[in-house]
Amino acid sequence: VQTCALPIFKPGDSVIGIASSGAHSNGYSLIRKIIERAGAKPTEEIAGRSLRELVMAPTQIYVKPLLNIMANHSIKGLAHITGGGLVDNVPRVLPENTQAVLHRDSWQMPDLFRWLQMKGGVADAEMVRVFNCGIGMVVIVSPDQADTAIKSLTAQGLKAWTVGEVVERPKDAPQTIVV
């Protein structure tokens, strides 16, 4: 029987975000409500693309690039940002005593999400609770491996960047915050 040691998270671990290709099948009840209230048509253009095209963009599949970086890096955690957005998915891979601090200014929110927020009057906290906001997958690594992991992901055609870090979790604080 082969055993697998659990990763040891440490304050300062890097949180890498991998770009999403769109909504990734999440938040569609809210998307529909915003579109209806805005009276938007599927052909409405947002930054040169139709609303239909943006909303129906296929979900990015990350398996092959992730298997590749897992073969060459010590990955501490992976979180697919699905229903529950950023703040409910990242905690699933973190130990209770840690917190992921994500820096909102470290990535550009895609046009679809900016449009949804503006047309729907959606608060920032609700956006990161419901949507991936442009981050489809999170990879947690030691800070000394972040640059090479990002280079590997980029070489495989993905957009990736450091979006935050793991810290010691303050008492009664949420496990993931976006600041």
Side-chain angles (χ1 to χ4, degrees), residues 77-140:
L78 295 170
H80 189 219
I81 310 306
T82 60
L86 289 163
V87 295
D88 287 346
N89 285 286
V90 177
R92 294 176 183 162
V93 300
L94 294 173
E96 285 293 318
N97 65 333
T98 61
Q99 179 185 60
V101 178
L102 307 180
H103 302 280
R104 182 60 208 92
D105 61 353
S106 64
W107 79 94
Q108 184 174 354
M109 189 159 51
D111 297 327
L112 172 63
F113 298 110
R114 288 198 312 266
W115 184 90
L116 289 167
Q117 185 170 27
M118 182 188 68
K119 293 291 186 179
V122 183
D124 289 343
E126 184 70 357
M127 288 296 293
V128 298
R129 190 190 69 73
V130 175
F131 299 115
N132 66 51
C133 294
I135 305 293
M137 179 71 74
V138 165
V139 181
I140 301 172

